[in-house]
Amino acid sequence: MEYLTAGEMAEKWNISSRRVTLLCNQGRVEGAVKKGLMWFIPQDAPKPIDPRKLRKMNEN
């Protein structure tokens, strides 16, 4: 299984690396593993759904 860093996933998902790290810390990224100070995320991991966007969609 291929792993990418939080920075590489941030580029792939088009979000900040800080946001990816936060998602990993919250346990919202399946298969993410922390080694030292770095997060390693499976290359095929799906981007977690942002509940803030769901709320906006439901308001309209």
Side-chain angles (χ1 to χ4, degrees), residues 6-7 10 13 15-29 32 34 37 39 41 48 50-52:
W13 288 343
I15 58 177
S16 70
S17 59
R18 175 67 184 125
R19 181 76 180 141
V20 174
T21 301
L22 182 65
L23 292 169
C24 291
N25 282 329
Q26 293 174 343
R28 294 180 52 200
V29 180
K34 189 171 186 179
L37 298 176
W39 281 99
I41 304 158
D50 190 346
R52 298 173 300 178

Side-chain angles (χ1 to χ4, degrees), residues 8 47-48:
E8 293 167 333
K47 179 180 176 184

Side-chain angles (χ1 to χ4, degrees), residues 1-9 12 24 29-35 38-45:
M1 180 180 289
E2 294 279 326
Y3 287 90
L4 299 176
T5 64
E8 293 167 333
M9 285 307 275
K12 181 177 178 179
C24 291
V29 180
E30 260 184 64
V33 178
K34 189 171 186 179
K35 298 222 179 191
M38 292 186 68
W39 281 99
F40 293 95
I41 304 158
Q43 183 175 359
D44 58 351

